[in-house]
Amino acid sequence: MSQTQSNAYIIEIHDRAAGIITRDERGFRFFSSERLFDSLEGRQFRSAREAERAARAVFSERSRRANSSLFAN
């Protein structure tokens, strides 16, 4: 029995759909599904895990900025 891998995955960060990655010959390409993750649009990743880490980093950075501006006043 051969095992097939999916060619597309949804990346969710804290119950938010960050985007979809699709497999191609060079790895995985990211397609943003929410404005917050638009900076990753079209980026190529070696693995699904790498794409997920990048989306988590974007989310964390946005959270840090929101928290620091909240306490800046």
Side-chain angles (χ1 to χ4, degrees), residues 25-69:
E25 59 279 347
R26 292 186 316 225
F28 293 88
R29 187 168 303 279
F30 189 94
F31 296 94
S32 174
S33 62
E34 195 175 317
R35 272 187 100 97
L36 173 61
F37 302 98
D38 281 355
S39 63
L40 300 176
E41 180 72 25
R43 269 191 53 195
Q44 191 78 30
F45 295 94
R46 287 179 298 219
S47 68
R49 179 74 66 205
E50 185 181 293
E52 182 182 356
R53 278 195 295 267
R56 285 188 186 285
V58 166
F59 185 86
S60 293
E61 180 60 31
R62 174 56 76 95
S63 296
R64 273 194 295 277
R65 281 191 205 150
N67 286 338
S68 37
S69 67

